[in-house]
């Protein structure tokens, strides 16, 4: 059993999406030197750790989640030495570093896949992936009916140089992301080495991409329903029991190292008890709590999700995590301002537009609820500025493969990946010295830039900074929660340690109980307005 005081039990972890954080080279893409320059910003904000989305060598068919070499930094992001410098500079500042591990699939440009294609059907190289003959008289039909999470079939057929068709390969995501065969011991051994490589480099942990997808149901039987984008409907490719022996093995690798290294599961598993299996004492340390992120703006749902998440994690001795935004979902400052607050898929210019004012007000309230909860919390870059989703981005700029693979039915995730605004009055809002940006920034980002908010009383940035400081001083991450029910069903209320937290989701103001106000998401007096959260010091 891990030491109960380990850092990841209560850490606030800031997600950096490297291509959109800070561009030092001027090419319009964020890079590792840009991140290194901005590390003091993160300590000023008061987070404990950073999770970096992938920065490895990649043809960028899925923004780097298609890895061609797990040990090498892509030139877009700098040099491999920059990753090592980033780790050591972060540590100097007291920040932990978690990096992204992408084990479900590689890029089709990875040497393993190239070798498998070249070696041909029946070869041992092909055993590292999921190649199958097609169905039908001439193998012209895919081996089963599985659909890609990004839209259309999950199978693509290979062709010989002369154009003659041959086998199919599985890709649960883009055609350029072939799935690995985790029954193959070479795959397992290779990833042990990747883990050790970065552990030797000093990383404090790994966020494990698609952690619920590595083991497929034997025989690859047809699925009954289509898998929606990072959705919650399960099928023969998700959450198979076989994943757990992989994580037990990785747990063993991590314990060869000192310093409480951690594994974080990105597992879209709706059943919280099933999800808790990933964080048993001999597996991973954390799993993202997507039930919390998926919750609509509704008090009863929040209460249920919070209660059930804590219970499921307590049952296995793991900390609960909390998250509201990341690089795959509509930013919560917009999501909570749309008619369907539980819909995390983004919107485009033709769709109904969120109410940005309402969204930001609720986002601040939701964040203040989240940061008081016991366990570990994740913040996605830019949410501390209250950034909205870019919902009016012209389609010509779209880069997410979802846009094409869904036949333009879904706009995809570019709207939450827009480069950060640092300085209102600078080219590219201070993101890049040349003014270039790989995605356009909406005009609304100017007034939300870091220099407009930092240390400004009442700004969203100051709210985050103050909440993080209070969270630390009242040790809320280690707290335990007791419900406060006397303000009615539409107020989410709980006490944790010396603090009472009240989130008013009711639509009308409620009278505020006695207590010193420590922080609030909007100004409060005798009443707690609707769509607001307050922390009171218990008298
Ligand atoms: C989840 C990642 O967060 C997402 O961005 C990516 O597209 C898929 N996994 C595939 O790697």
């Amino acid at each position: 059993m891990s030491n109960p005081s380990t850092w990841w039990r209560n850490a606030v972890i800031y997600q950096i999406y490297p291509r959109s954080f800070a561009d030092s080279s001027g090419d319009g893409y964020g890079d590792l030197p840009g991140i290194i320059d901005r590390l003091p910003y993160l300590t000023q904000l008061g987070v404990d750790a950073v999770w970096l989305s992938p920065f490895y060598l990649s043809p960028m068919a899925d923004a780097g989640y298609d890895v061609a070499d797990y040990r090498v930094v892509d030139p877009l992001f700098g040099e491999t030495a920059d990753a090592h410098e980033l780790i050591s500079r972060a540590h100097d500042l007291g920040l932990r570093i978690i990096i992204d591990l992408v084990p479900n699939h590689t890029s089709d440009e990875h040497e393993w896949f190239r070798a498998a294609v070249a070696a041909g059907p029946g070869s041992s190289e092909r055993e590292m992936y999921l190649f199958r003959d097609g169905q039908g008289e001439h193998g012209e039909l895919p081996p089963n009916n599985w659909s890609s999470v990004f839209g259309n079939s999950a199978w693509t057929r290979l062709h010989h140089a002369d154009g003659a068709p041959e086998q199919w390969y599985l890709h649960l995501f883009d055609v350029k992301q072939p799935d690995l065969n985790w029954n193959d011991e070479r795959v397992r051994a290779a990833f042990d080495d990747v883990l050790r490589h970065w552990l030797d480099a000093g990383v404090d942990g790994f966020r494990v991409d698609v952690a619920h997808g590595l083991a497929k149901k034997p025989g690859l039987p047809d699925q009954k329903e289509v898998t929606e984008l990072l959705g919650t409907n399960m099928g023969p490719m998700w959450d198979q029991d076989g994943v757990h022996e992989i994580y037990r093995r990785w747990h063993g690798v991590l314990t060869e190292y000192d310093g409480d290294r951690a594994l974080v599961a990105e597992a879209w598993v709706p059943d919280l008890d099933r999800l808790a299996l990933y964080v048993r004492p001999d597996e991973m340390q954390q799993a993202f709590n997507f039930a919390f992120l998926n919750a609509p703006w509704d008090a009863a749902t929040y209460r249920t999700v919070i209660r059930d998440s804590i219970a499921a994690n307590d049952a296995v001795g793991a900390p609960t995590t909390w998250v509201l935004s990341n690089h795959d979902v509509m930013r919560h400052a917009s999501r909570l301002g749309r008619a369907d607050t539980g819909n995390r898929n983004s919107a485009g210019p033709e769709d109904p537009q969120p109410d940005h004012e309402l969204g930001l007000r609720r986002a601040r309230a939701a964040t203040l609820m989240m940061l008081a909860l016991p366990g570990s919390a994740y913040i996605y870059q830019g949410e501390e500025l209250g950034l909205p989703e870019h919902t009016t981005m012209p389609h010509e700029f779209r880069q997410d493969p979802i846009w094409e693979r869904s036949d333009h039915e879904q706009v995809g995730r570019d709207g939450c990946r827009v480069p950060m605004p640092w300085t209102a009055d600078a080219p590219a809002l201070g993101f890049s010295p040349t003014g270039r940006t790989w995605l356009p920034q909406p005009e609304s980002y100017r007034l939300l830039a870091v220099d407009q908010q930092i240390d400004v009383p009442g700004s969203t940035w100051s709210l985050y900074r103050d909440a993080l400081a209070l969270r630390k001083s009242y040790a809320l991450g280690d707290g335990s929660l007791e419900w406060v029910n006397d303000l009615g069903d539409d107020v989410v209320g709980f006490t944790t340690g010396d603090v009472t937290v009240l989130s008013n989701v009711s639509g009308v103001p409620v009278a505020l109980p006695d207590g010193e106000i420590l922080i609030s998401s909007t100004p409060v007096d005798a009443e707690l307005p609707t769509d607001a959260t307050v922390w009171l010091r218990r008298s």
Side-chain angles (χ1 to χ4, degrees):
M1 183 65 109
S2 326
N3 174 351
S5 65
T6 39
W7 67 275
W8 41 265
R9 289 194 166 267
N10 57 21
V12 175
I13 301 170
Y14 185 97
Q15 180 190 356
I16 289 185
Y17 195 63
R19 59 172 51 211
S20 299
F21 192 64
D23 171 20
S24 73
S25 70
D27 65 358
Y29 292 86
D31 46 42
L32 300 187
I35 297 172
I36 293 170
D37 289 346
R38 301 284 187 180
L39 286 174
Y41 168 80
L42 300 176
T43 50
Q44 199 180 350
L45 186 61
V47 299
D48 304 303
V50 173
W51 152 35
L52 296 159
S53 281
F55 48 73
Y56 318 105
L57 190 70
S58 166
M60 303 291 168
D62 183 21
Y65 281 95
D66 49 320
V67 180
D69 189 325
Y70 292 92
R71 293 173 172 78
V72 172
V73 169
D74 193 278
L76 192 67
F77 298 125
E79 295 176 9
T80 301
D82 294 328
H84 296 273
E85 185 177 348
L86 199 166
I87 296 163
S88 92
R89 294 278 288 275
H91 286 166
D92 289 347
L93 291 169
L95 291 166
R96 309 260 181 179
I97 292 284
I98 292 176
I99 62 170
D100 223 302
L101 186 75
V102 188
N104 179 68
H105 43 263
T106 66
S107 163
D108 65 341
E109 297 181 29
H110 195 287
E111 62 178 11
W112 303 335
F113 191 75
R114 288 197 162 139
V117 171
S123 62
S124 106
E125 287 86 342
R126 287 218 170 172
E127 281 301 306
M128 289 183 73
Y129 291 87
L130 291 159
F131 285 91
R132 293 288 183 276
D133 293 332
Q135 300 189 83
E137 203 180 332
H138 306 289
E140 69 280 12
L141 299 172
N144 69 22
N145 72 351
W146 292 7
S147 54
S148 153
V149 173
F150 290 167
N152 283 308
S153 174
W155 295 93
T156 289
R157 196 170 194 187
L158 289 179
H159 292 84
H160 294 291
D162 64 2
E166 51 122 309
Q167 284 193 304
W168 300 71
Y169 68 90
L170 180 74
H171 52 90
L172 292 181
F173 294 89
D174 191 67
V175 59
K176 286 181 69 63
Q177 292 168 296
D179 279 50
L180 286 161
N181 173 16
W182 273 88
N183 289 325
D184 191 290
E185 174 55 26
R186 287 167 300 176
V187 171
R188 295 182 183 223
F191 273 87
D192 291 349
D193 290 348
V194 172
L195 288 171
R196 288 199 180 95
H197 174 82
W198 288 108
L199 290 164
D200 287 337
V203 299
D204 300 284
F206 301 88
R207 174 267 190 191
V208 180
D209 190 62
V210 199
H212 59 318
L214 273 54
K216 277 75 179 175
K217 191 162 192 150
L220 311 185
D222 278 353
Q223 66 183 42
K224 296 208 174 59
E225 46 178 346
V226 169
T227 306
E228 65 178 49
L229 166 65
L230 301 179
T232 49
N233 45 351
M234 298 281 96
M237 64 292 274
W238 305 125
D239 192 33
Q240 300 296 308
D241 290 338
V243 294
H244 295 291
E245 63 181 276
I246 300 168
Y247 303 134
R248 282 194 280 276
R249 177 168 171 152
W250 292 2
H251 185 99
V253 173
L254 263 64
T255 48
E256 290 166 18
Y257 290 79
D258 57 7
D260 289 331
R261 322 282 176 124
L263 295 164
V264 185
E266 188 233 12
W268 292 79
V269 174
D271 179 330
L272 290 168
D273 294 320
R274 293 274 317 169
L275 183 61
L277 299 178
Y278 290 74
V279 288
R280 285 177 287 188
D282 59 350
E283 294 196 29
M284 302 215 200
Q285 281 66 23
Q286 291 188 344
F288 289 115
N289 187 344
F290 293 127
F292 186 71
L293 182 152
N294 280 331
W297 188 242
D298 171 70
T301 311
Y302 279 121
R303 264 195 299 273
T304 305
V305 168
I306 292 168
R307 189 192 53 226
D308 293 354
S309 310
I310 292 174
N313 285 293
D314 278 356
V316 292
T320 306
T321 67
W322 311 101
V323 58
L324 288 163
S325 282
N326 65 30
H327 65 293
D328 288 330
V329 299
M330 184 187 252
R331 284 182 174 276
H332 67 287
S334 296
R335 198 170 73 231
L336 298 177
R338 72 197 322 193
D340 177 4
T341 51
N343 176 2
R344 61 172 185 271
N345 289 337
S346 193
E350 295 86 21
D351 298 316
Q353 294 298 301
D355 176 336
H356 290 298
E357 204 179 312
L358 178 66
L360 179 56
R361 184 182 168 89
R362 287 179 174 167
R364 290 168 57 113
T367 295
L368 219 46
M369 183 201 304
M370 172 175 89
L371 291 178
L373 290 166
S376 174
Y378 280 80
I379 294 174
Y380 176 47
Q381 68 179 42
E383 67 168 85
E384 76 278 18
L385 306 174
L387 293 187
E389 183 88 357
H390 191 347
T391 50
T392 54
M393 185 185 297
H395 296 316
E396 75 218 54
F397 292 106
R398 298 204 181 283
Q399 307 217 8
D400 185 354
I402 288 177
W403 170 241
E404 291 301 335
R405 284 197 66 85
S406 72
D407 302 323
H408 298 183
E409 271 189 19
Q410 298 193 45
V411 292
R413 302 160 293 178
D414 295 310
C416 63
R417 299 175 173 181
V418 172
M420 280 274 285
W422 293 95
T423 315
D425 193 16
L429 305 178
F431 168 70
S432 154
T434 57
R436 292 172 69 185
T437 57
W438 71 280
L439 287 174
Q441 296 160 307
E443 186 49 37
S444 62
Y445 277 28
R446 185 174 302 280
L447 286 178
L448 297 172
V450 171
D451 74 331
Q452 302 297 297
Q453 298 203 47
I454 207 157
D455 292 333
V456 172
S459 73
T460 303
W461 191 90
S462 298
L463 180 79
Y464 272 73
R465 192 259 332 262
D466 293 349
L468 291 174
L470 285 164
R471 175 187 159 89
K472 203 156 264 170
S473 59
Y474 283 90
L476 299 183
D478 301 319
S480 62
L481 178 150
E482 279 169 41
W483 295 105
V484 173
N485 292 320
D486 45 2
L487 293 180
D489 285 350
D490 288 331
V491 174
V492 183
F494 55 88
T495 60
T496 165
D498 291 335
V499 178
T500 298
V501 179
L502 302 170
S503 295
N504 183 0
V505 186
S506 72
V508 290
V510 296
L512 202 59
D514 289 342
E516 178 197 340
I517 295 173
L518 294 172
I519 190 168
S520 61
S521 63
T522 53
V524 296
D525 41 41
E527 292 189 320
L528 178 62
T530 185
D531 301 319
T533 296
V534 65
W535 294 4
L536 300 173
R537 194 189 153 88
R538 281 212 279 181
S539 33

